[in-house]
Amino acid sequence: MKPLSPRDRLIVALDVADRAAAERMVETLGDAVTFYKIGMELAYGGDGLALVGRLAAAGRKVFLDLKLHDIPNTVERATAQAARLGATFLTVHAYPQTMKAAVAGAAGSGLAILGVTVLTSCDDEDLIEAGYRFGVVEMVRRRAEQAQALGVPGLVASAAEAKGVREAVGPDMILVTPGIRPAGAEVGDQKRVATPAGAIRDGADYLVIGRPILAAADPRAAAAAIVAEIAAVAP
Ligand code: C5P
């Protein structure tokens, strides 16, 4: 497990429609949160890419969850642009060509690439239908090992996968885990959830959390409670 302060392990997913709403949430959370995830919705529709530099300048880290996948030349150049924006993490689909290109594009920058192994919306049947020979468990493991062999520094692994992925790749790869619900929280559309403490125990380095914080009556207090839960197992 990476040595990090409990607060720096929490990544708040800014799953809101536009930059103004995102900035209001960042303001509300204040120094309770140091790391934010910007996904496709905010990046494409809400001027979210402009927010990356602003957050970085304010001493916050940004996880750009754009899940790149294209020809290597395009992935390499797009990754270099994301690095220039000041992002700390960028996701790419864990295809060997794509991962290799992203690692090249991020070289010499502060950007770390995270491989997305298999989308959690896919089951074994979906993979067969898409023409793959492996089921989800084997595919996740295979792609995690390929990522490691290609020098990709990290992976996104759902709470259900975190333990197996950590066992497959050992202690050094960064593991970022969504699908977290504090004990007693609304589960929403997440099917396999873990508590913050459970995910950290399973080997996650960072937790991505959206609705339990964004939809809380007091988001700042919700974030602080999650950080306290992390601190109890990773002081
Ligand atoms: O609101 P919630 O905490 O469920 O948000 C989790 C974030 O992590 C969302 O931005 C979602 O897109 C992302 N995510 C996820 N499950 C995955 C992969 C990503 O919830 N398997």
Side-chain angles (χ1 to χ4, degrees):
M1 178 175 285
K2 311 271 162 300
L4 282 171
S5 81
R7 187 179 61 163
D8 293 340
R9 293 185 186 279
L10 170 63
I11 303 178
V12 174
L14 285 173
D15 293 329
V16 295
D18 57 39
R19 184 174 163 180
E23 289 194 342
R24 279 197 300 278
M25 184 50 65
V26 170
E27 175 89 33
T28 299
L29 292 170
D31 60 9
V33 172
T34 58
F35 213 147
Y36 289 97
K37 180 169 91 82
I38 294 178
M40 292 186 213
E41 180 190 7
L42 184 56
Y44 298 152
D47 202 15
L49 293 182
L51 193 58
V52 179
R54 227 188 69 72
L55 287 171
R60 301 294 182 264
K61 290 183 173 176
V62 178
F63 167 8
L64 211 39
D65 189 13
L66 299 181
K67 298 189 176 69
L68 303 187
H69 183 44
D70 206 319
I71 59 168
N73 181 58
T74 303
V75 170
E76 182 172 341
R77 293 166 71 116
T79 303
Q81 296 284 37
R84 272 180 222 117
L85 288 175
T88 295
F89 290 157
L90 171 70
T91 43
V92 306
H93 285 283
Y95 291 77
Q97 266 194 353
T98 296
M99 294 193 285
K100 211 189 256 180
V103 167
S109 76
L111 178 67
I113 301 302
L114 304 178
V116 175
T117 54
V118 176
L119 294 174
T120 45
S121 53
C122 288
D123 59 18
D124 290 350
E125 248 171 63
D126 292 312
L127 291 182
I128 300 293
E129 196 186 348
Y132 294 105
R133 283 187 290 144
F134 307 109
V136 172
V137 171
E138 197 176 344
M139 191 74 131
V140 167
R141 179 171 282 257
R142 197 181 161 82
R143 287 187 168 164
E145 288 169 358
Q146 286 173 333
Q148 187 168 41
L150 290 168
V152 172
L155 294 165
V156 178
S158 75
E161 296 161 354
K163 199 165 183 197
V165 170
R166 177 57 81 202
E167 280 165 12
V169 300
D172 293 334
M173 274 186 106
I174 302 165
L175 261 200
V176 178
T177 299
I180 306 296
R181 291 294 176 268
E186 287 281 327
V187 169
D189 59 4
Q190 293 282 12
K191 294 203 176 80
R192 285 168 298 175
V193 298
T195 61
I200 296 279
R201 274 197 225 99
D202 282 348
D205 294 303
Y206 294 90
L207 308 179
V208 175
I209 305 185
R211 287 164 289 181
I213 293 173
L214 303 187
D218 183 345
R220 196 184 161 104
I226 288 166
V227 170
E229 199 179 329
I230 295 171
V233 288

